[in-house]
Every structure is written in C-alpha cells, then in structure tokens.
C-alpha cells in the first residue's frame, strides 16, 4: 500500500516537471511549492517504506533461514536414510556373504559325509565279502571234514563188512572141513 503511495507521489512530481516552461537554456517551474510538498510527503513516507522494506527483507531472511534449516534437515535426514540404507545394504551383503559361507560349509560337510559314507560302505562291503569268503572257506572246510569223516566211517564200515564176509567165508570153509557125519547131523538138525 505504501509502495502505491510513493509511486503515486513520484508520478505527481513527474507531471509537474512535465508542466514546466523554458526560458532560453533555463527550465522554470510554475509551481515549486507543489513539488516541495510532494518531496516532503515522499520523505515522510520513505522511513515507513524503509521500515516496511526492512521488515520484508527480515521476513525474507527468516524465510530463507527457515528454508535453509529445512533443507539442512532434509539433507541430514536423507544422509541418515542413505547411511541406514547403506548400513542395511552392508548388513544384507554381510548376511549374504555369511549365508554363502554357510552354504559352502554345508556343501563341504555333505561332500565329506558322502565320501565318508562311501568309504564306510566300501569298508562294510569288503568286510562282508571277507566274512562271506571266510564263511565259504569255513563251510568248505567243514564239508571237507564231514566228507573225510564220512569216508573214514564208510571205510571203517567197509572193513567191518569185509571182516564179516571174511569171517563168514572162514566159517564156511571150516564147516566144509568138518567130517561128513557132522555135516549130516547138522543137516538133520536143520530139517
């Protein structure tokens, strides 16, 4: 509003200056009191205008400071957020690295377990094969022993049968050698 008043007074002074008249190279004004009155009004208004301008400048500075403070706060929050994101990113990266290490350890452990199980299975297979071979050899030895014993027993029975046959043959020969009347009496008894 004061800006309009100062501007209006300057316009009036300008108008009065346009209404001058010239005498030679000099310029004369018709109403210098009017110009003096306008200049006095401008001088009276200017301190108020200066105060208003100073208030506007102060308000502008306050707004600038508030904006700067807000910008600093936003920048600080953005930096904190970026740091948190970076920290979270580093944490996620660290977790991923740890997970990869654990996964690798699990793979190695599984591979070791697999190899150990294969070795143990091979050892059990070899042991079972050896046990089977020993059992087979033992069974063969037992069968051989049984057959040898059986052969010995059969040979012994065969000797007994031969001895019996020989004995009977001897008895038969002895009976033939006896006197004939003994043979007749025997025949008589048998009848």
């Amino acid at each position: 509003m004061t800006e309009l008043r100062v501007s209006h007074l300057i316009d009036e002074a300008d108008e009065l200056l346009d209404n001058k008249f010239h005498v030679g190279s000099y310029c004369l004004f018709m109403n210098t009191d009017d110009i003096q009155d306008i200049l006095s009004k401008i001088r009276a208004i200017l301190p108020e205008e200066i105060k208003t301008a100073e208030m506007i400048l102060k308000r502008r500075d306050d707004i600038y400071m508030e904006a700067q403070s807000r910008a600093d706060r936003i920048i600080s929050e953005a930096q904190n957020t970026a740091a948190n994101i970076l920290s979270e990113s580093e944490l996620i990266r660290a977790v991923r690295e740890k997970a990869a290490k654990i996964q690798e350890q699990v793979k190695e452990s599984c591979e070791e377990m697999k190899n150990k199980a294969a070795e143990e299975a091979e050892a059990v297979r070899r042991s079972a094969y050896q046990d089977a071979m020993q059992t087979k050899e033992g069974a063969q030895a037992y069968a051989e022993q049984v057959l040898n014993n059986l052969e010995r027993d059969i040979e012994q029975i065969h000797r007994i049968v031969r001895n019996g046959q020989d004995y009977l043959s001897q008895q038969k020969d002895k009976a033939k050698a006896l006197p004939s009347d003994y043979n007749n009496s025997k025949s008589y008894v048998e009848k």
Side-chain angles (χ1 to χ4, degrees):
M1 175 101 170
T2 47
E3 188 178 305
L4 292 176
R5 287 176 33 205
V6 170
S7 179
H8 179 66
L9 290 172
I10 290 173
D11 286 343
E12 280 184 38
D14 208 18
E15 237 180 83
L16 288 174
L17 287 175
D18 283 344
N19 292 333
K20 62 184 179 207
F21 69 91
H22 295 282
V23 175
S25 63
Y26 294 102
C27 183
L28 299 174
F29 295 101
M30 289 193 67
N31 191 350
T32 58
D33 289 335
D34 288 339
I35 291 176
Q36 288 294 330
D37 184 43
I38 290 171
L39 289 174
S40 294
K41 286 179 183 176
I42 290 173
R43 281 189 195 103
I45 293 173
L46 274 180
E48 186 180 319
E49 288 293 320
I50 290 172
K51 285 180 189 175
T52 303
E54 285 174 351
M55 284 179 14
I56 290 170
L57 287 174
K58 184 170 181 350
R59 180 68 185 134
R60 185 199 68 180
D61 289 343
D62 289 345
I63 290 170
Y64 175 78
M65 292 301 286
E66 185 179 329
Q68 185 64 41
S69 174
R70 210 179 265 173
D72 290 343
R73 196 170 47 249
I74 290 170
I75 290 170
S76 176
E77 288 173 2
Q79 288 172 340
N80 288 340
T81 302
N84 287 340
I85 290 171
L86 183 60
S87 174
E88 288 174 6
S89 175
E90 288 176 4
L91 178 64
I92 289 169
R93 183 183 51 78
V95 166
R96 284 186 178 151
E97 287 176 4
K98 185 71 173 175
K101 285 180 184 177
I102 290 171
Q103 185 178 18
E104 188 62 32
Q105 288 173 347
V106 167
K107 282 182 182 177
E108 288 173 5
S109 294
C110 287
E111 192 64 31
E112 287 175 16
M113 289 170 60
K114 178 181 156 190
N115 291 340
K116 188 175 181 180
E119 289 172 6
E120 288 177 2
E122 180 61 23
V124 167
R125 188 194 64 78
R126 269 188 258 121
S127 176
Y129 179 76
Q130 288 174 351
D131 289 347
M133 291 306 291
Q134 287 175 352
T135 301
K136 180 181 175 184
E137 288 171 5
Q140 286 175 345
Y142 176 74
E144 187 176 355
Q145 183 181 3
V146 167
L147 289 174
N148 287 337
N149 290 342
L150 187 59
E151 181 183 29
R152 189 185 69 230
D153 291 344
I154 289 173
E155 285 176 358
Q156 190 177 11
I157 291 171
H158 187 43
R159 271 193 309 269
I160 292 170
V161 168
R162 287 248 186 241
N163 287 341
Q165 287 174 337
D166 287 344
Y167 176 77
L168 290 175
S169 179
Q170 286 174 1
Q171 290 299 322
K172 196 177 190 183
D173 288 342
K174 278 184 189 178
K176 283 184 188 177
L178 285 178
S180 60
D181 55 339
Y182 179 76
N183 277 337
N184 285 337
S185 69
K186 184 177 174 190
S187 296
Y188 180 74
V189 173
E190 287 178 2
K191 292 183 181 173

